[in-house]
Amino acid sequence: QDTKLNIGVSVKSIFGLPLVVARDKGFFKEEGLDVTLEYFSGGPPATAALMGGSLQFLNGALENNVKTAKANQPIVTIMNIQSNYAGAIILRKEIADKLGRAPKVEDLKGLKIGTLSRGGFTDVSTRYILKTAGIDPEKDATLVPIRGADRQLAAGKAGEIDAAMVTEPWGPIAVEGLGEWVYVLNTTVGQGPVLFQDMGYVVLQTTRDYLAKNRPVAEKVVRAIVKAQKFIADPKNVEEVTQIALKEYGDSQPKAMRISVETQAKTYVPYMNEAMIGKTMDLLVPNGLIKEPAPAYKDVVDASFEPLWKAYGPVK
Amino acid sequence: MDRQKRQLQILDHVDLTLKEAEFVSVVGPSGCGKSTLLNFIAGLTPVQSGAVEVFGAPPGGTEAPLGYVFQQHALLPWRNVLQNTVISLEVKGIAKAEREQRAREMLTVMGLDGFEDHFPREISGGMRQRVSLARTLVDDPRLILMDEPFGALDAQTKLLIQEMFLKYWEENRKSVLFITHDLAEAVALADRVLVMSSRPGRILAEYEVGIPRPRTLDQVRHMPRFTELHDAIWEDLRGEALKAMQGRA
Amino acid sequence: MDRQKRQLQILDHVDLTLKEAEFVSVVGPSGCGKSTLLNFIAGLTPVQSGAVEVFGAPPGGTEAPLGYVFQQHALLPWRNVLQNTVISLEVKGIAKAEREQRAREMLTVMGLDGFEDHFPREISGGMRQRVSLARTLVDDPRLILMDEPFGALDAQTKLLIQEMFLKYWEENRKSVLFITHDLAEAVALADRVLVMSSRPGRILAEYEVGIPRPRTLDQVRHMPRFTELHDAIWEDLRGEALKAMQGRA
Amino acid sequence: MMDQDSARQVTILKVVLLVVIVGGWELSARFGLIPVFWTSSPSLIAVAFWESLKENEITYHTYITMQEALAGLAAGAVVGVMLGLVLGVSRVLGAALEPFVIAMNSLPRVALAPLIVMFVGIGFASKFLLAFSLVVVPIMLNTYEGIKAADPQLINMMRVIHAKRYQVFYKVLLPNCVPWIFSALRVSISFAIIGAIVGEFISARAGIGYMIDSAAGAFDTTGMIMPLIVLMVLAFSIDRAFVATSNRLLRWRDEALS
Amino acid sequence: MMDQDSARQVTILKVVLLVVIVGGWELSARFGLIPVFWTSSPSLIAVAFWESLKENEITYHTYITMQEALAGLAAGAVVGVMLGLVLGVSRVLGAALEPFVIAMNSLPRVALAPLIVMFVGIGFASKFLLAFSLVVVPIMLNTYEGIKAADPQLINMMRVIHAKRYQVFYKVLLPNCVPWIFSALRVSISFAIIGAIVGEFISARAGIGYMIDSAAGAFDTTGMIMPLIVLMVLAFSIDRAFVATSNRLLRWRDEALS
Ligand SMILES: Nc1ncnc2c1ncn2[C@@H]1O[C@H](COP(=O)(O)OP(=O)(O)OP(=O)(O)O)[C@@H](O)[C@H]1O
Ligand SMILES: Nc1ncnc2c1ncn2[C@@H]1O[C@H](COP(=O)(O)OP(=O)(O)OP(=O)(O)O)[C@@H](O)[C@H]1O
Ligand SMILES: [Mg+2]
Ligand SMILES: [Mg+2]
């Protein structure tokens, strides 16, 4: 008799790929788990579902857990899902063409840049990147929050924005797929500030209450996902993972999807460390989205799962 | 017997006693309180001062054998003719077979047999008002209150229904308190006509009709007494009616 | 002159010619086509067969000096009494000062001075119908069509307005075609009464009233000729009226 | 009232309009007047519909959405009617509660998504609740209006025949509300469907809202519009069936719905 | 009709209800019966409101949203009334278009957001268009009903006095629609606000929807509920003002709005 579980994913995005692979490759099944993935329209309703008991686990941004921990909500992270922020700033091709060279962050000065929602990850990341390039995001650029990556591209086509911060796989879709945009900066391939590397971008969360009663189940989940992360990281599985991703996220852009999977493959790692909290705070505090002091590492992350993470093996 | 005489005292020095099986008409200008008077008697409006007695009891008692015919038929639109006619018996808890039999008989008296299944909207205004009469009469009330019952009908239909009702009443004498604006109607049907003044309503004059029964409307129209009474009452009322019309609606 | 005689031919062998300044009443059971007849003459309903001529021209011509008084007052609820009275002059493009002066005069004739600023909902039914009369008369029509104009009023108000209209008409004779269900009204006001049969409408009978003018309603009621005509017409109509009532609404 | 002649004209005009709209869309798409990538075209939609039908997809998702919507509608109707009756019978309470109800009803439900998910979870319940929350108030207010609109003369008549309060309620007030309730139910059909879809946008694994959301994620305009059109046709058919049924049931009324 | 006595009772009951709702909420929050993190509490909301007021934030965002909503409402009213008049005057066209309009109106607008962004962009236009799209149809349908409801006797009267078609239109049909248009405008106020907010959810840099969205991202329930309550109070006040104005303007009618 398999244990039935509902695992939430805060947005239907490729950062949930390890869970999809664990499900479709039968890794959950091997652990005796019958997992259903639930997609949400954002972190808050997904977190609400976790606390309300509709979900047992949630694949969501670490920043959410940092915020809830500061508000003394009993939510805890038990593993990392994707360590690097997998996003890219893209610029409309006709603007880039006028430059006559590969665009740089400095070229965004004075432009309208689309993000997903104010205070969300794309928004704060864009601000951080602009600041590191000496651009004041309030004065020297206009940030436009637009719900949904498809709407960003629509807004670009309508001439409403010049550039956009998009998450995977929308970078490759826009650049390689549609051919209407070019990259300015792609954090997925390690470009941009180091902050975005190994930062605990998306993590697996659960409630302390659930963990206290169902620790063995949580261990099984972690084992299955780690196995999936390892599967994705193996270069010989690129094709199979791409097929799984296409089936889950829509098959309209197979070429772009393959590129996206390839570039992200090594970012799905289970490890967590104390520096991740600091990096999240560095991102949020300047935007007034959270106040110092940072919550303690142990209030956000249950490091007792660390032995299970090790099954992934060493990271370069 | 004291139940033979009904003592009804109302409002602004309106003092009125109805005899058993007497047909009393009340005429008066619009807004003078005629409907209010009936509502007091029926117990629909609580009496503020003075005393109203219906068969020796305060009005609105659960057993008072009263009937009330309204100007608008007050039929339930979702019930057909038969279902509308039985309502008072239904409310009393009389068995279905019996109440329907009684209703059918009364509908036949009213010339409505064959229309039992029709909804109110499917029959003419004159027929609706007869259903309303049948509904009231099927309960066999001792006192019938009628508030301009034929006021909304066209003149010819009104004549027909007056004839029918007059015939029925002369065969089954009951006490009737009949409000109307139509002086001809008041005189032709009643034993006694009360004329009320405009607000606050008082009894201005009282006329014994004195036309012998059984009557027919055609005969009555030819009697000098009829025209004489009509003129006298109109004399009383003309000024009041003019005042009533010139006041706001 | 050929405009002295108006030729009106309608429907199912209805043949009717109105003389100048003649007051003709039409009575008949409900649904017999009386309103349809007026609508033919007014040009509101196109004539399917037969010929209608109004002052020698087909009906509905833009210049036909016709007035039409409806059973429901047909006042524009968002216009006050004065604005309602001037409408026909306004449509004709008569200057504001002139049209308002004429309307005020007519309202005074109708006993409505002082009510110019009231909206229809603020005045009584009798007053509304008088505004409707004033609106029609202010245009000085040569032929007035009246479709049960007093049918919706209570009996006393009706008596008052009949008196007023009778007086006005006798001073300003115009051709009138007056539809009513009320036989007393038909006889008391008209020079001639036409009785129509139930559908399809034909002229059953025609009576010259022959009561001398000027009349007052009180006098008329006392005349044997009045009761006699009333009875005769009722004799013609009783059966038809009964049939009309028993048909569906 | 409309004579036969105009009725035929109307029918012809309806067909002409349908042809013009659909044909105009198709032609503009074919001749590149509008970008197919963003606006799709009737033929693409028809093909997508056919594919989806063959795989039993659109039927399944429609079934799910309709289930949520109709359950919400049914529950909203029951609760709304009961509340409306209570308010209508106790007029003071009704008049006092009315502004609160109206104020509550003017809130955009989407904004409350986290609260809804927190308290009723995801799955069927959240869609059901959204559909419910959109229909309960109009139904309640109409029922209340229906009670208020009862002819006082009918109630006087019942009092004269010594009817008990419950008899007045069952024999006059309740039947008097029925047409009001029906007219509220009619407008509530599309509210319930919208509620279910908005619920599916928050989180769902099936339903029309899920189809639209997935298609949006995959950049598939045809896939977004197709289920919307299916929904439109369905809502329209339900409305027609509802009008026909209600005209049959309420044939005692003077005026029929159209 | 309500006598003075009941009117006082109603007022008292309203105050009692308000106190019970607000007080009950506050107390349940204080005693931990409901999770404050998700449901906030009246006192938290009051404090947040005060803070926001001091920084001129809530006023600014409310201003933005109301601007979008009222612009959409105004445009929707103008276009809706014009369309309604056209349909009403040409009865065949009206009857033929009616089902299309109703079908269009049953679509969930939120789902069309990408298309709207595509065609009108983000910024003011998209919120305006959403507000507009929600109000135009009800206003149009009501105007149409208003024309259809014109008493044929009044039109006959105008024909008898040889009024021209345009005179019938200006002197009878148009004034007859006014109460119908007003009643459509009344319900449209909250539709317009909802439209503006949904538009702000898709993309905005200011407005109530933006405030709610930002607060949601920060898990700040108080910050989400506060603007909603401001909005509710505002919508309610607008409704009251509207009813008062319309009762003044339409004092020729038999029945006043309440
Ligand atoms: N519910 C009420 N509230 C306030 N005033 C009322 C109410 N009912 C009646 N009245 C007033 O009481 C007076 C008497 O009304 P009532 O209906 O008894 O007159 P009526 O003689 O029956 O008039 P009509 O001949 O027009 O039927 C009127 O002036 C009326 O304005
Ligand atoms: N628009 C219409 N469509 C179909 N039938 C109509 C229409 N108007 C009138 N009729 C029918 O034509 C007949 C004559 O109607 P009309 O209104 O002229 O009668 P009437 O004599 O004026 O009746 P009443 O005395 O009730 O006013 C009636 O049987 C009616 O049913
Ligand atoms: Mg009365
Ligand atoms: Mg007629």
Side-chain angles (χ1 to χ4, degrees):
Chain A
Q1 202 69 31
D2 288 351
T3 309
K4 281 197 180 308
L5 287 181
N6 284 327
I7 302 183
V9 184
S10 61
V11 180
K12 189 166 189 176
S13 159
I14 202 163
F15 64 50
L17 187 61
L19 281 78
V20 177
V21 169
R23 184 192 63 193
D24 290 1
K25 289 295 294 173
F27 300 154
F28 285 132
K29 193 91 189 148
E30 287 168 15
E31 297 288 341
L33 303 174
D34 177 7
V35 170
T36 308
L37 296 185
E38 302 279 2
Y39 290 110
F40 284 82
S41 62
T47 307
L50 180 66
M51 289 186 70
S54 306
L55 303 175
Q56 289 76 47
F57 298 92
L58 170 63
N59 179 23
L62 175 62
E63 56 143 337
N64 284 352
N65 203 165
V66 173
K67 285 173 185 165
T68 50
K70 266 193 75 90
N72 294 317
Q73 299 302 305
I75 293 178
V76 65
T77 289
I78 56 174
M79 72 177 290
N80 194 36
I81 300 285
Q82 188 170 28
S83 59
N84 293 13
Y85 170 51
I89 295 181
I90 54 176
L91 181 67
R92 275 168 50 212
K93 201 169 190 325
E94 62 252 45
I95 297 176
D97 286 347
K98 281 188 205 131
L99 291 171
R101 58 173 164 79
K104 292 185 298 216
V105 176
E106 286 74 11
D107 297 324
L108 296 174
K109 193 162 184 154
L111 298 186
K112 279 191 271 188
I113 306 161
T115 64
L116 286 178
S117 70
R118 177 161 169 112
F121 213 97
T122 52
D123 180 70
V124 294
S125 311
T126 308
R127 286 164 196 277
Y128 191 87
I129 291 167
L130 290 177
K131 270 189 220 160
T132 55
I135 299 173
D136 183 338
E138 297 295 335
K139 291 202 197 96
D140 302 333
T142 313
L143 266 58
V144 184
I146 304 172
R147 268 282 162 83
D150 53 330
R151 286 160 215 187
Q152 303 239 19
L153 301 195
K157 196 172 179 69
E160 289 285 329
I161 54 174
D162 309 309
M165 169 64 104
V166 292
T167 54
E168 289 292 338
W170 289 95
I173 287 178
V175 177
E176 279 99 356
L178 296 177
E180 290 167 0
W181 303 74
V182 295
Y183 285 111
V184 177
L185 174 148
N186 190 355
T187 65
T188 320
V189 295
Q191 296 172 348
V194 288
L195 178 123
F196 294 114
Q197 312 305 321
D198 198 21
M199 70 175 304
Y201 170 43
V202 175
V203 298
L204 189 70
Q205 306 165 22
T206 186
T207 61
R208 290 193 186 276
D209 195 38
Y210 181 81
L211 203 54
K213 291 186 190 133
N214 302 283
R215 188 165 173 103
V217 178
E219 288 178 353
K220 288 177 187 170
V221 171
V222 172
R223 271 200 296 271
I225 297 176
V226 170
K227 199 166 175 186
Q229 288 173 319
K230 204 170 163 186
F231 183 84
I232 296 168
D234 190 338
K236 70 173 184 292
N237 294 331
V238 168
E239 195 47 49
E240 192 176 354
V241 172
T242 303
Q243 289 313 314
I244 291 172
L246 284 170
K247 197 164 117 267
E248 187 73 4
Y249 303 113
D251 51 11
S252 60
Q253 302 278 348
K255 194 178 103 205
M257 186 62 83
R258 194 190 154 88
I259 295 167
S260 184
V261 167
E262 258 180 331
T263 50
Q264 291 183 84
K266 299 252 184 298
T267 64
Y268 298 109
V269 291
Y271 301 109
M272 305 281 313
N273 58 59
E274 295 202 25
M276 289 175 173
I277 307 285
K279 287 183 174 177
T280 301
M281 291 299 284
D282 288 347
L283 210 48
L284 300 189
V285 170
N287 295 301
L289 295 169
I290 201 166
K291 291 198 172 58
E292 300 278 14
Y297 181 63
K298 68 168 177 45
D299 290 338
V300 179
V301 180
D302 187 336
S304 65
F305 285 87
E306 193 159 0
L308 297 176
W309 304 340
K310 298 237 167 73
Y312 183 82
V315 185
K316 285 194 251 27
Chain B
M1 298 197 298
D2 74 328
R3 288 174 81 203
Q4 290 286 84
K5 298 221 168 193
R6 285 142 216 135
Q7 183 73 27
L8 308 165
Q9 305 204 7
I10 307 104
L11 220 103
D12 200 39
H13 299 95
V14 174
D15 196 329
L16 155 66
T17 308
L18 223 73
K19 288 196 280 288
E20 182 83 53
E22 192 187 20
F23 196 127
V24 174
S25 289
V26 180
V27 295
S30 240
C32 74
K34 304 182 296 298
S35 301
T36 309
L37 172 65
L38 287 203
N39 290 343
F40 280 156
I41 299 171
L44 293 177
T45 308
V47 184
Q48 277 123 352
S49 79
V52 180
E53 247 180 67
V54 182
F55 306 117
T62 46
E63 289 316 311
L66 264 186
Y68 200 140
V69 182
F70 302 89
Q71 176 169 11
Q72 302 302 333
H73 48 78
L75 298 179
L76 300 170
W78 48 86
R79 285 182 168 229
N80 65 24
V81 165
L82 184 65
Q83 291 163 339
N84 263 294
T85 311
V86 298
I87 185 135
S88 64
L89 306 178
E90 187 181 316
V91 160
K92 282 213 178 75
I94 289 172
K96 186 167 166 149
E98 187 193 337
R99 71 189 185 223
E100 295 207 340
Q101 198 214 320
R102 282 172 64 181
R104 278 176 203 279
E105 280 166 16
M106 188 51 73
L107 287 172
T108 306
V109 172
M110 293 290 138
L112 287 166
D113 38 324
F115 289 93
E116 290 87 350
D117 296 338
H118 288 61
F119 286 112
R121 76 167 182 95
E122 297 171 324
I123 58 177
S124 71
M127 294 167 85
R128 281 180 215 144
Q129 203 52 281
R130 280 187 288 155
V131 177
S132 167
L133 277 174
R135 173 183 61 190
T136 305
L137 297 174
V138 78
D139 203 15
D140 198 28
R142 277 180 68 193
L143 170 61
I144 309 176
L145 307 172
M146 303 180 82
D147 193 356
E148 305 181 44
F150 312 138
L153 303 177
D154 75 66
Q156 288 164 45
T157 306
K158 190 172 176 175
L159 286 177
L160 292 171
I161 296 196
Q162 282 169 352
E163 277 174 4
M164 204 199 56
F165 182 65
L166 182 63
K167 185 156 164 289
Y168 177 86
W169 184 83
E170 293 191 335
E171 285 166 7
N172 307 268
R173 307 236 170 166
K174 292 159 186 300
S175 303
V176 171
L177 196 56
F178 189 100
I179 289 180
T180 180
H181 279 104
D182 183 339
L183 311 186
E185 180 176 70
V187 174
L189 298 180
D191 298 315
R192 192 152 52 111
V193 179
L194 298 176
V195 183
M196 284 178 71
S197 72
S198 58
R199 208 166 16 155
R202 291 159 180 266
I203 295 184
L204 268 186
E206 192 175 330
Y207 298 89
E208 283 293 335
V209 174
I211 299 176
R213 295 190 187 269
R215 305 172 184 170
T216 72
L217 295 178
D218 290 349
Q219 287 171 350
V220 169
R221 267 196 297 276
H222 286 274
M223 298 202 172
R225 175 69 182 155
F226 170 79
T227 320
E228 189 183 294
L229 271 175
H230 189 288
D231 287 358
I233 297 171
W234 188 224
E235 197 59 40
D236 294 338
L237 277 181
R238 182 196 295 273
E240 305 272 344
L242 204 61
K243 254 198 294 180
M245 182 177 63
Q246 291 286 31
R248 305 215 175 164
Chain C
M1 297 198 296
D2 75 327
R3 288 173 82 204
Q4 290 286 84
K5 297 222 168 190
R6 286 145 215 133
Q7 183 72 28
L8 308 165
Q9 305 205 8
I10 307 104
L11 220 102
D12 200 36
H13 298 96
V14 174
D15 196 330
L16 154 66
T17 308
L18 223 73
K19 286 194 281 287
E20 183 83 55
E22 191 187 20
F23 197 125
V24 174
S25 289
V26 180
V27 295
S30 239
C32 74
K34 303 183 297 296
S35 301
T36 308
L37 172 65
L38 288 203
N39 289 342
F40 280 154
I41 298 171
L44 293 177
T45 308
V47 184
Q48 277 124 351
S49 80
V52 180
E53 247 179 65
V54 182
F55 305 118
T62 46
E63 290 313 310
L66 263 187
Y68 200 141
V69 183
F70 302 89
Q71 175 170 12
Q72 300 304 328
H73 48 78
L75 298 178
L76 300 171
W78 47 86
R79 287 182 167 230
N80 66 25
V81 165
L82 183 66
Q83 292 164 339
N84 263 293
T85 310
V86 298
I87 185 133
S88 64
L89 306 177
E90 188 181 314
V91 160
K92 281 213 178 73
I94 290 173
K96 187 168 167 147
E98 186 194 335
R99 69 187 188 226
E100 294 205 343
Q101 196 214 319
R102 282 172 62 182
R104 277 176 206 281
E105 280 166 16
M106 189 49 74
L107 287 171
T108 307
V109 171
M110 292 288 139
L112 287 166
D113 39 322
F115 289 94
E116 289 86 350
D117 296 337
H118 288 61
F119 286 111
R121 75 168 182 94
E122 297 172 323
I123 58 177
S124 71
M127 295 167 83
R128 278 178 217 148
Q129 203 53 279
R130 280 186 290 155
V131 177
S132 168
L133 277 174
R135 173 183 63 192
T136 304
L137 298 174
V138 79
D139 202 17
D140 198 28
R142 278 179 66 193
L143 169 61
I144 309 177
L145 306 172
M146 304 180 81
D147 193 357
E148 304 181 45
F150 312 138
L153 304 176
D154 75 65
Q156 290 165 44
T157 306
K158 190 172 179 174
L159 286 176
L160 293 169
I161 296 195
Q162 283 170 352
E163 277 174 5
M164 204 199 56
F165 182 65
L166 182 61
K167 186 157 163 287
Y168 177 85
W169 184 82
E170 293 190 334
E171 286 165 9
N172 306 268
R173 305 235 171 167
K174 290 164 187 298
S175 302
V176 172
L177 195 56
F178 189 99
I179 289 179
T180 178
H181 277 106
D182 183 339
L183 310 186
E185 181 176 69
V187 174
L189 299 179
D191 299 316
R192 192 152 51 110
V193 179
L194 297 177
V195 183
M196 283 179 70
S197 72
S198 58
R199 205 164 20 152
R202 294 160 177 267
I203 295 184
L204 267 186
E206 192 175 332
Y207 297 90
E208 283 292 336
V209 174
I211 299 175
R213 297 191 185 269
R215 307 173 182 169
T216 73
L217 294 179
D218 290 351
Q219 288 171 349
V220 169
R221 265 196 298 277
H222 285 276
M223 299 204 170
R225 175 71 181 154
F226 170 78
T227 322
E228 190 183 292
L229 271 175
H230 189 288
D231 287 0
I233 297 171
W234 187 225
E235 196 60 39
D236 293 339
L237 276 181
R238 182 198 295 274
E240 305 272 344
L242 203 62
K243 252 198 295 180
M245 181 176 64
Q246 291 288 30
R248 304 212 177 166
Chain D
M1 281 311 116
M2 190 168 290
D3 54 54
Q4 279 206 312
D5 216 43
S6 323
R8 242 227 331 264
Q9 268 184 290
V10 167
T11 313
I12 292 173
L13 203 56
K14 275 181 193 166
V15 175
V16 169
L17 276 169
L18 195 66
V19 169
V20 167
I21 294 173
V22 175
W25 184 2
E26 181 69 34
L27 288 180
S28 330
R30 295 257 160 141
F31 291 108
L33 300 177
I34 53 174
V36 180
F37 187 76
W38 295 101
T39 57
S40 190
S41 82
S43 56
L44 285 174
I45 291 169
V47 170
F49 175 69
W50 180 241
E51 297 290 325
S52 188
L53 202 64
K54 274 197 301 194
E55 289 172 27
N56 219 7
E57 253 191 32
I58 180 76
T59 35
Y60 169 69
H61 291 293
T62 306
Y63 169 76
I64 295 287
T65 299
M66 292 315 294
Q67 206 178 32
E68 295 157 355
L70 294 181
L73 181 64
V78 171
V79 174
V81 167
M82 303 240 285
L83 286 176
L85 292 177
V86 169
L87 296 195
V89 169
S90 154
R91 299 216 168 173
V92 173
L93 187 64
L97 271 178
E98 222 179 336
F100 294 93
V101 170
I102 292 174
M104 289 285 289
N105 199 39
S106 70
L107 284 181
R109 306 295 188 295
V110 217
L112 301 177
L115 294 184
I116 291 173
V117 167
M118 169 74 197
F119 288 104
V120 306
I122 48 177
F124 182 76
S126 59
K127 291 98 194 170
F128 167 83
L129 193 76
L130 271 163
F132 174 87
S133 80
L134 285 173
V135 304
V136 68
V137 174
I139 291 177
M140 179 185 116
L141 288 180
N142 250 35
T143 307
Y144 179 39
E145 287 298 322
I147 295 257
K148 285 200 288 188
D151 183 353
Q153 207 66 309
L154 296 182
I155 294 164
N156 280 342
M157 184 274 290
M158 291 300 279
R159 285 176 58 198
V160 168
I161 61 172
H162 306 301
K164 311 268 183 307
R165 280 190 69 127
Y166 75 91
Q167 288 174 320
V168 175
F169 179 78
Y170 282 112
K171 293 177 199 289
V172 179
L173 299 180
L174 200 56
N176 198 68
C177 290
V178 173
W180 295 81
I181 294 173
F182 271 55
S183 89
L185 280 179
R186 188 183 172 188
V187 298
S188 295
I189 297 170
S190 40
F191 286 175
I193 295 178
I194 291 177
I197 290 187
V198 169
E200 287 168 358
F201 283 155
I202 300 172
S203 147
R205 284 192 306 264
I208 296 279
Y210 165 82
M211 279 187 90
I212 294 171
D213 211 36
S214 307
F219 235 58
D220 172 10
T221 312
T222 306
M224 280 176 65
I225 296 180
M226 187 270 286
L228 280 178
I229 288 182
V230 170
L231 205 71
M232 213 161 85
V233 172
L234 200 68
F236 191 72
S237 319
I238 295 178
D239 184 65
R240 290 291 91 190
F242 185 84
V243 167
T245 314
S246 108
N247 281 344
R248 255 188 81 81
L249 288 176
L250 305 179
R251 66 187 191 286
W252 51 266
R253 286 194 309 175
D254 280 338
E255 289 185 24
L257 294 177
S258 65
Chain E
M1 282 306 115
M2 191 170 288
D3 53 56
Q4 281 204 311
D5 215 44
S6 324
R8 242 223 337 261
Q9 267 184 290
V10 168
T11 313
I12 293 173
L13 202 55
K14 275 182 193 163
V15 175
V16 169
L17 275 169
L18 195 65
V19 170
V20 166
I21 293 172
V22 176
W25 184 3
E26 181 69 34
L27 289 180
S28 333
R30 296 255 160 144
F31 291 110
L33 299 179
I34 52 174
V36 179
F37 184 73
W38 293 106
T39 57
S40 188
S41 82
S43 57
L44 286 173
I45 291 168
V47 170
F49 175 70
W50 181 240
E51 296 289 327
S52 186
L53 203 63
K54 274 197 301 195
E55 289 173 26
N56 219 8
E57 252 191 30
I58 180 76
T59 37
Y60 169 68
H61 291 294
T62 307
Y63 169 76
I64 295 288
T65 298
M66 292 315 293
Q67 208 178 30
E68 296 156 354
L70 294 181
L73 182 63
V78 170
V79 174
V81 167
M82 302 239 286
L83 286 176
L85 291 176
V86 169
L87 296 197
V89 170
S90 154
R91 300 218 166 171
V92 172
L93 187 64
L97 271 178
E98 222 180 336
F100 293 94
V101 169
I102 294 175
M104 289 285 289
N105 201 37
S106 70
L107 284 182
R109 305 296 187 297
V110 214
L112 298 177
L115 293 182
I116 291 178
V117 168
M118 171 68 199
F119 287 106
V120 305
I122 48 179
F124 181 77
S126 59
K127 292 97 191 172
F128 167 82
L129 196 74
L130 268 165
F132 174 87
S133 77
L134 284 173
V135 305
V136 69
V137 173
I139 291 176
M140 178 185 116
L141 288 180
N142 250 36
T143 308
Y144 180 39
E145 287 298 321
I147 295 255
K148 286 199 289 185
D151 183 353
Q153 208 66 311
L154 297 181
I155 294 165
N156 279 341
M157 184 274 290
M158 292 299 282
R159 286 178 58 196
V160 168
I161 62 173
H162 306 301
K164 311 267 183 309
R165 279 190 70 128
Y166 76 90
Q167 288 174 320
V168 176
F169 179 76
Y170 282 111
K171 292 178 198 290
V172 179
L173 298 181
L174 201 56
N176 197 69
C177 289
V178 173
W180 294 80
I181 295 173
F182 272 53
S183 89
L185 281 178
R186 187 183 173 189
V187 298
S188 295
I189 297 169
S190 39
F191 285 174
I193 295 179
I194 290 178
I197 290 189
V198 169
E200 287 167 358
F201 281 156
I202 298 170
S203 148
R205 283 188 306 261
I208 297 278
Y210 164 82
M211 278 186 91
I212 293 171
D213 208 35
S214 306
F219 291 91
D220 174 9
T221 310
T222 306
M224 280 176 63
I225 297 180
M226 187 270 285
L228 281 178
I229 289 181
V230 170
L231 204 71
M232 217 161 80
V233 172
L234 199 70
F236 191 72
S237 319
I238 294 177
D239 183 67
R240 288 292 90 191
F242 185 85
V243 167
T245 315
S246 107
N247 281 343
R248 255 188 79 81
L249 288 176
L250 305 179
R251 66 188 190 286
W252 51 267
R253 284 193 311 174
D254 279 337
E255 288 184 25
L257 294 177
S258 66

